[in-house]
């Protein structure tokens, strides 16, 4: 893997570096994720094309258009799944007895991700996958219901609050399986978070976005990955 080739990152708000401002409950981009610092530290060219709220379906289209315009890219890091596994909670709240599907059902998510990997391989570009950072179920449920959605109805449909965690975990596991299937490098963000004894302290009050301490952990995890790959290339 030639990390010194031009690297692009495609992902959602996690890799965009978005945090929730606790003072006004608005989202903003933090610099703690440190993509520019990582590029400088390792002598790499890194462009971050991540977008807030992006699903894999949208991201795959952005990826294809970008690579077609900028074919000099040598490595692409993909970070998707957090928005894909989420639900339309207003609909769940309104109709807890109905069937509801995530924004990207797991079968479609797996199909799209495999397609993205094959697209990059076909262009001679090295794909690198990342697992999903975990979430804090109770905190996220509180965030979902903050503007009047029925917690009772949502819990009735879920069964228990931890079901949110389990839904998300399936998508992270699917990414792991794809990395194994295609023999693709994997940056295991999820394990890095789960190794922390007080993991909740690494997340914003919405329960899903890593706070600045969590972003520092992401930066450290990326740094270890780059170090390992650069050492292997020597």
């Amino acid at each position: 893997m030639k990390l010194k080739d031009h690297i692009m990152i495609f992902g959602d708000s996690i890799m965009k570096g978005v945090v929730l401002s606790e003072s006004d409950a608005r989202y903003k981009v933090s610099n703690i994720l440190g993509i520019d610092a990582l590029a400088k530290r390792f002598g790499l060219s890194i462009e971050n094309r991540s977008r807030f709220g992006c699903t894999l379906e949208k991201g795959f289209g952005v990826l294809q258009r970008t690579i077609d315009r900028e074919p000099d890219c040598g490595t692409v890091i993909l970070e998707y799944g957090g928005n894909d596994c989420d639900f339309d909670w207003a609909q769940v709240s309104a109709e807890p007895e109905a069937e509801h599907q995530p924004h990207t059902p797991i079968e479609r998510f797996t199909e799209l991700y495999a397609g993205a990997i094959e697209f990059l391989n076909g262009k001679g570009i090295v794909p690198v996958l990342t697992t999903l950072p975990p979430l804090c179920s109770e905190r996220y449920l509180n965030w979902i219901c903050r503007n009047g959605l029925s917690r009772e109805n949502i819990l009735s449909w879920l069964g228990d609050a931890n079901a949110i965690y389990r839904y998300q975990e399936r998508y992270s596991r699917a990414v792991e399986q794809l990395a194994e299937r295609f023999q693709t490098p994997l940056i295991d963000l999820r394990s890095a978070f789960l190794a922390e004894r007080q993991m909740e302290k690494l997340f914003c009050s919405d329960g899903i976005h890593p706070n600045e301490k969590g972003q520092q952990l992401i930066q450290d995890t990326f740094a270890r990955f780059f170090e390992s790959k650069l050492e292997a290339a020597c």
Side-chain angles (χ1 to χ4, degrees):
M1 179 182 180
K2 297 179 180 179
L3 279 179
K4 292 195 175 181
D5 288 345
H6 184 190
I7 298 172
M8 287 187 181
I9 302 174
F10 293 85
D12 54 29
S13 56
I14 301 296
M15 284 310 303
K16 183 70 175 175
V18 169
V19 297
L20 179 68
S21 171
E22 303 301 334
S23 61
D24 58 10
R26 293 186 177 184
Y27 289 111
K28 64 178 184 179
V29 176
S30 167
N31 292 324
I32 302 300
L33 194 60
I35 299 301
D36 290 342
L38 286 169
K40 183 176 180 180
R41 175 179 171 183
F42 292 100
L44 302 171
S45 171
I46 305 177
E47 288 188 59
N48 191 353
R49 301 298 183 92
S50 300
R51 298 185 178 187
F52 185 90
C54 203
T55 62
L56 179 56
E57 188 118 34
K58 293 178 182 177
F60 192 3
V62 172
L63 171 67
Q64 290 172 308
R65 292 190 296 273
T66 302
I67 296 302
D68 286 342
R69 289 195 307 266
E70 304 177 48
D72 64 327
C73 179
T75 301
V76 163
I77 298 174
L78 298 171
E79 179 272 320
Y80 290 106
N83 294 303
D84 298 275
C85 71
D86 208 18
F87 291 85
D88 185 332
W89 296 111
Q91 286 190 359
V92 174
S93 174
E95 300 180 84
E97 302 302 323
E99 289 293 323
H100 299 280
Q101 292 293 323
H103 296 313
T104 311
I106 189 71
E107 296 82 7
R108 177 63 175 160
F109 178 78
T110 303
E111 175 188 357
L112 284 168
Y113 228 132
I117 295 167
E118 290 171 339
F119 169 77
L120 292 170
N121 284 336
K123 297 286 187 178
I125 297 170
V126 177
V128 177
L129 313 187
T130 71
T131 55
L132 281 64
L135 52 76
C136 304
S137 296
E138 285 286 351
R139 198 179 294 180
Y140 184 46
L141 181 58
N142 290 337
W143 178 255
I144 291 167
C145 299
R146 72 192 184 283
N147 291 325
L149 296 189
S150 172
R151 182 186 180 92
E152 180 181 357
N153 284 359
I154 292 174
L155 277 173
S156 173
W157 181 77
L158 284 170
D160 64 87
N162 285 329
I164 300 174
Y165 181 98
R166 295 193 296 272
Y167 277 117
Q168 192 228 29
E169 188 173 47
R170 289 185 67 201
Y171 284 70
S172 189
R173 180 59 183 145
V175 173
E176 291 183 57
Q177 291 170 340
L178 285 163
E180 184 175 353
R181 171 181 161 190
F182 287 97
Q183 294 297 291
T184 298
L186 180 72
I187 303 175
D188 194 358
L189 298 178
R190 194 175 194 85
S191 290
F193 276 85
L194 292 176
E196 295 294 314
R197 187 168 54 86
Q198 296 180 316
M199 187 192 75
E200 293 80 5
K201 291 186 176 181
L202 302 177
F203 287 88
C204 299
S205 59
D206 65 1
I208 53 172
H209 286 95
N211 59 23
E212 292 184 343
K213 289 182 179 179
Q215 288 192 4
Q216 183 63 57
L217 179 61
I218 292 174
Q219 182 184 152
D220 294 343
T221 305
F222 266 70
R224 287 194 295 271
F225 175 79
F226 289 150
E227 284 173 349
S228 69
K229 293 301 178 184
L230 290 172
E231 287 174 1
C234 293

